[in-house]
Amino acid sequence: MREFQLYGLGNALMDIFLEVSEEEFAPLGLPRGSTQLVGLAEQKALLERFNNHEPRLVSGGSLANSIVAFAQLGGRAAFLCCLGDDHYGRFYQSEFEELGIDIGNPVIAGQSTGTCLCLITPDAERTMCTCLGVSSHLAAQHVDERRLQNAEWLFLEGYLLANPQTGQSAVREALRLARRHNVRVALTCSEVFIVRQFGDAFFETLAQTDLLFCNASEACAVTGSANAEKAFADLADKVPSALVTDGPRGAYVRYAGVETHVPAYPCQPLDLTGAGDMFAGAFLYGIINGIAPDRAARAACYLAMKVICQIGARLHQGTRRFWEECLKEER
């Protein structure tokens, strides 16, 4: 048995959640539901603009949220990232250590930990302004062969591909070591712009991937298809296994000889942040621990529903209990 079931590479970001009104959001001119990369000065200006709001801080990042879900369910996980030697970095590291996640991160002196300002509007959409800070320094030299060779799966965050000199080199090194040590590879698309703006690196990575996670718009970008169902079918020519989430319309699943569609759980969402992250982490936990892919996807949908019925990108309690409740009902 390997020490880790899942070894993740991703951006470490301190999530800063703010609930704003439509009147406050509209003047910003930000595309609703998008992710924008901003500089440190622009991030500080946005925070000052909303200094009359009470923020909620959670250590996160897209793939980091998946790793947290995996660990909350009982999985053995490690996470590689870069943190600054600031308050946010220390808070981040302590949270992951409390969750039992091996965070073999390089702390880089004199640098700022990355932040993600998440603006939540009354329609439950989240618009994210991300300042990568020191997380953008993650590069090939940081990839830890000892941890990676002792993992069953490597999980890569698509956002890393947006950094050609650093993140892309980290991904290539991790893939090289995964091949050497017979570690299976999962990839999350992260965002449509990754495919459109960094397509060469994305498709190079996809060609070495065993399992792809993406939402409907991302799947359409990868395949050039018009809708989620067609994109899911077309992904069969590009990657051995794939999961395509389609919001309230559920998820398409292709893994280990199972090909199916699972419905979503109806709900009234408060914040759509983290639904896909939870889905990916929970599904990986399921299949790695012997749960049939269709049942794992159904339980992952249930946990994703629980996430969007609250404010914030992850569940802070009840994750394992919800998982067991769903699997019991699905028998």
Side-chain angles (χ1 to χ4, degrees):
M1 183 175 68
R2 297 194 178 188
E3 182 180 3
F4 304 112
Q5 294 173 306
L6 189 62
Y7 179 76
L9 266 67
N11 290 319
L13 301 171
M14 181 59 65
D15 289 334
I16 305 169
F17 294 97
L18 290 177
E19 295 181 69
V20 299
S21 67
E22 290 292 347
E23 292 74 22
E24 291 171 316
F25 179 77
L28 300 177
L30 297 170
R32 187 182 300 271
S34 67
T35 298
Q36 309 288 317
L37 291 177
V38 300
L40 187 59
E42 188 177 353
Q43 185 79 297
K44 287 181 177 178
L46 282 167
L47 288 169
E48 289 173 5
R49 184 181 185 122
F50 297 110
N51 62 6
N52 61 331
H53 291 59
E54 186 66 33
R56 181 177 174 215
L57 303 180
V58 178
S59 55
S62 175
L63 194 132
N65 291 332
S66 297
I67 293 289
V68 166
F70 187 90
Q72 287 176 328
L73 288 169
R76 305 187 307 279
F79 182 56
L80 176 65
C81 60
C82 284
L83 298 170
D85 62 344
D86 54 10
H87 168 71
Y88 285 155
R90 290 187 292 273
F91 181 87
Y92 198 106
Q93 186 164 6
S94 66
E95 270 212 322
F96 272 62
E97 288 173 348
E98 287 173 8
L99 288 163
I101 299 167
D102 187 317
I103 183 164
N105 62 290
V107 173
I108 300 180
Q111 297 291 329
S112 298
T113 298
T115 56
C116 178
L117 175 59
C118 183
L119 301 172
I120 305 165
T121 40
D123 59 357
E125 272 290 1
R126 83 284 187 272
T127 302
M128 296 187 288
C129 298
T130 300
C131 177
L132 292 173
V134 76
S135 66
S136 65
H137 291 211
L138 182 64
Q141 67 265 27
H142 297 131
V143 178
D144 185 342
E145 183 170 7
R146 186 196 70 77
R147 286 182 174 85
L148 203 159
Q149 73 181 7
N150 285 304
E152 297 176 30
W153 280 80
L154 167 68
F155 194 16
L156 299 170
E157 183 178 281
Y159 285 130
L160 293 176
L161 301 174
N163 295 304
Q165 281 72 45
T166 53
Q168 289 185 17
S169 73
V171 169
R172 291 189 182 102
E173 176 66 4
L175 288 170
R176 183 184 71 83
L177 294 173
R179 289 194 301 272
R180 173 186 289 179
H181 298 293
N182 197 29
V183 177
R184 303 189 71 184
V185 178
L187 169 68
T188 178
C189 194
S190 294
E191 191 81 26
V192 168
F193 84 87
I194 297 296
V195 181
R196 292 178 177 164
Q197 297 181 34
F198 304 96
D200 289 348
F202 175 81
F203 285 106
E204 175 190 329
T205 305
L206 186 64
Q208 302 172 73
T209 294
D210 298 292
L211 172 61
L212 174 69
F213 292 95
C214 52
N215 63 26
S217 59
E218 293 158 0
C220 290
V222 173
T223 60
S225 308
N227 57 60
E229 185 174 8
K230 181 65 163 61
F232 173 69
D234 292 343
L235 281 172
D237 296 327
K238 298 182 180 298
V239 64
S241 301
L243 284 94
V244 177
T245 56
D246 196 17
R249 290 165 293 280
Y252 296 90
V253 181
R254 181 185 299 112
Y255 183 79
V258 173
E259 185 167 327
T260 188
H261 174 269
V262 297
Y265 284 86
C267 67
Q268 192 65 42
L270 294 177
D271 172 16
L272 299 177
T273 316
D277 304 337
M278 170 59 82
F279 181 89
F283 181 80
L284 281 168
Y285 175 81
I287 60 168
I288 291 173
N289 288 279
I291 304 297
D294 52 342
R295 296 185 70 221
R298 184 69 171 147
C301 282
Y302 187 64
L303 288 177
M305 178 271 290
K306 291 292 186 181
V307 167
I308 65 175
C309 287
Q310 56 153 39
I311 301 296
R314 73 163 91 131
L315 296 174
H316 290 274
Q317 57 185 357
T319 307
R320 179 71 192 188
R321 175 168 54 84
F322 295 144
W323 172 266
E324 291 173 348
E325 285 176 1
C326 184
L327 289 181
K328 186 176 180 180
E329 291 174 3
E330 289 295 308
R331 284 177 184 168

